Amino acid sequence: MRAVIESLPGSKIREVANAGIGREDVLAFWFGESDEPTPEFIRDAAARSLRDGETFYANNLGLPELRAAIAGYVGSLHRPLGSERIAVTSSGVNALMLAMQTLVGAGDEVIAVVPVWPNLTAQPEILGARVTRVSLRPEAGAWRLDLDELLAAVTSKTRVLLVNAPNNPTGWTLTRAEQQAIVAHCRRTGTWIVADEVYERIYFSGERALAPSFLDVAAPHDRLIVIHSFSKSFLMTGWRLGWMVLPAAVTESVGKLIEFNTSCAPVFVQRAGLAALARADDFVPGLVQRLKACRDTLLPLLVALPQVTVASPARGLYAFLQIEGHSDSLALAKQLVVDAGLGLAPGVAFGPEAEGWLRWCFASRAPARLVDGVQRLTRFLRL
Ligand SMILES: Cc1ncc(COP(=O)(O)O)c(C=O)c1O
């Protein structure tokens, strides 16, 4: 086995979950998904496809009609684009890995903005690249990027800049001006930007409730790959469906690479994706409202606890918090499971920069669960 595979870190969230094995009553907020199942109209489309016998291999880059629908959807949110820039993938994490396989090899330098969902930084390491971490920092609870520090780190030796915004776990988001500065800088250094924008619509401010995207500021031929997923905006985590927005010149090569990874996304899953996009305009805003209600239930309760600092603003599916007097987030998360029956993700799972923090996924059909969770935390803190 390659040494890098042998030494892959195990999931720290899983380690916390294991501490609760045998306890029936743990309220789990550790994973990044809602407890609400995929809407019926999406499940129906997949069932219909299976009933119709759509059980065969399909195009590497996705069904032409799904690629066109994705291009239409992305174009309606950002600048118009054609389906020759779209590759359908078997999840967002698969799209990220395909981007990495397309761009980096052994010894290449990747700069990653961190803390971040650990899969982003593990993938280039699996491929033998060297990952340099540029850290966001909390200032009065809000995580901030030092843009000058990031730009100084990205040089002509940097193959890829990896950035996830809105960020899991901190909620930090790039501004349009920062995106413009990054694009201009990366044009000079010849660096590819891989932008993970899977949470772009789980954004609770502004008229359009849409996070700034690199697609709004980059030219079609820029060295930019944007990563997307059906998981978060359509409650489709278990389906494994995502997409990449690519410069047209690399799409065919990515199609060849998909052949060697998964060959194609399953057709019935793609049909589900088509159904989701067809009703995106009525479904997504309603989902975002429900998620906002969850956030607005949880946050004031947490903010009212004297020992707790909450990162602001909370975006995506997560509240990110710190509890005074606790610096070992893994130990604290395990203790919360065992002593309070409260399941949170330890900050250190997202990198040493987030040590001492905890991530709480607030996406739930039953906001009362969140209230129960806070009561458990309150008892734990003996308030
Ligand atoms: C930042 C980020 N990117 C990508 C993904 C991947 O989503 P999926 O593989 O379910 O499409 C996740 C999932 O949690 C995520 O948090």
Side-chain angles (χ1 to χ4, degrees):
M1 200 191 314
R2 291 167 62 219
V4 67
I5 305 301
E6 212 165 2
S7 62
L8 280 176
S11 160
K12 295 201 170 64
I13 301 180
R14 187 69 60 190
E15 218 178 295
V16 174
N18 288 344
I21 286 177
R23 269 198 72 145
E24 293 294 303
D25 62 332
V26 176
L27 273 181
F29 301 103
W30 40 47
F31 294 130
E33 63 184 352
S34 174
D35 52 9
E36 181 176 336
T38 308
E40 206 165 336
F41 71 91
I42 297 177
R43 287 185 273 149
D44 283 348
R48 235 180 352 260
S49 167
L50 284 173
R51 265 199 310 275
D52 290 348
E54 291 194 310
T55 56
F56 300 100
Y57 291 128
N59 329 44
N60 296 136
L61 286 165
L63 296 174
E65 54 269 49
L66 180 56
R67 293 177 69 199
I70 293 171
Y73 171 76
V74 173
S76 73
L77 299 176
H78 305 292
R79 293 177 178 170
L81 78 174
S83 48
E84 73 286 353
R85 294 189 58 197
I86 304 296
V88 176
T89 61
S90 297
S91 76
V93 69
N94 175 234
L96 280 162
M97 192 57 153
L98 288 163
M100 289 301 128
Q101 289 174 354
T102 302
L103 300 177
V104 305
D108 283 340
E109 179 184 275
V110 173
I111 305 274
V113 177
V114 293
V116 76
W117 190 53
N119 298 35
L120 268 81
T121 46
Q123 290 175 335
E125 281 168 358
I126 288 168
L127 297 169
R130 282 175 301 114
V131 178
T132 300
R133 303 171 74 91
V134 172
S135 184
L136 305 168
R137 291 197 194 85
E139 276 170 34
W143 287 73
R144 294 191 196 288
L145 172 72
D146 183 334
L147 182 64
D148 291 337
E149 184 188 343
L150 177 65
L151 298 187
V154 175
T155 69
S156 55
K157 296 204 181 76
T158 310
R159 186 89 180 118
V160 170
L161 168 62
L162 194 44
V163 56
N164 162 231
N167 172 262
N168 173 7
T170 64
W172 163 81
T173 303
L174 279 161
T175 64
R176 178 125 316 155
E178 286 169 334
Q179 287 173 331
Q180 278 162 340
I182 290 169
V183 168
H185 183 83
C186 288
R187 280 182 189 146
R188 285 192 290 272
T189 59
T191 300
W192 280 83
I193 299 168
V194 174
D196 177 336
E197 298 185 354
V198 305
Y199 294 102
E200 77 165 346
R201 302 207 63 182
I202 320 293
Y203 192 78
F204 306 109
S205 48
E207 213 175 292
R208 295 182 72 203
L210 184 68
S213 166
F214 276 101
L215 292 173
D216 298 324
V217 299
H221 57 267
D222 270 321
R223 294 182 160 193
L224 167 69
I225 298 181
V226 177
I227 304 299
H228 266 290
S229 171
F230 283 83
S231 287
K232 313 289 174 178
S233 313
F234 298 99
L235 300 171
M236 289 178 71
T237 48
W239 296 74
R240 319 311 300 132
L241 190 63
W243 73 86
M244 308 161 87
V245 183
L246 300 155
V250 304
T251 306
E252 286 309 316
S253 301
V254 169
K256 286 188 251 168
L257 187 56
I258 289 173
E259 170 63 27
F260 301 118
N261 279 269
T262 53
S263 299
C264 61
V267 175
F268 67 96
V269 172
Q270 296 192 61
R271 294 280 179 222
L274 263 169
L277 292 181
R279 290 188 43 190
D281 284 349
D282 27 280
F283 178 72
V284 179
L287 172 66
V288 173
Q289 277 312 312
R290 295 202 292 289
L291 292 171
K292 185 171 183 298
C294 291
R295 184 194 72 159
D296 293 348
T297 299
L298 178 65
L299 251 66
L301 296 174
L302 289 177
V303 168
L305 300 178
Q307 288 119 303
V308 174
T309 306
V310 189
S312 164
R315 294 192 182 114
L317 306 177
Y318 314 106
F320 204 48
L321 57 137
Q322 208 176 20
I323 300 178
E324 208 179 280
H326 292 274
S327 54
D328 181 337
S329 60
L330 186 58
L332 174 59
K334 287 180 181 172
Q335 205 183 342
L336 281 168
V337 170
V338 174
D339 295 349
L342 179 62
L344 305 181
V348 72
F350 306 91
E353 308 79 12
E355 180 53 297
W357 290 72
L358 296 164
R359 191 193 72 175
W360 185 320
C361 175
F362 52 69
S364 178
R365 265 185 298 185
R369 282 181 84 239
L370 301 166
V371 179
D372 187 356
V374 176
Q375 281 163 353
R376 291 178 187 214
L377 178 61
T378 308
R379 281 198 295 275
F380 174 85
L381 296 173
R382 298 197 211 304
L383 290 171

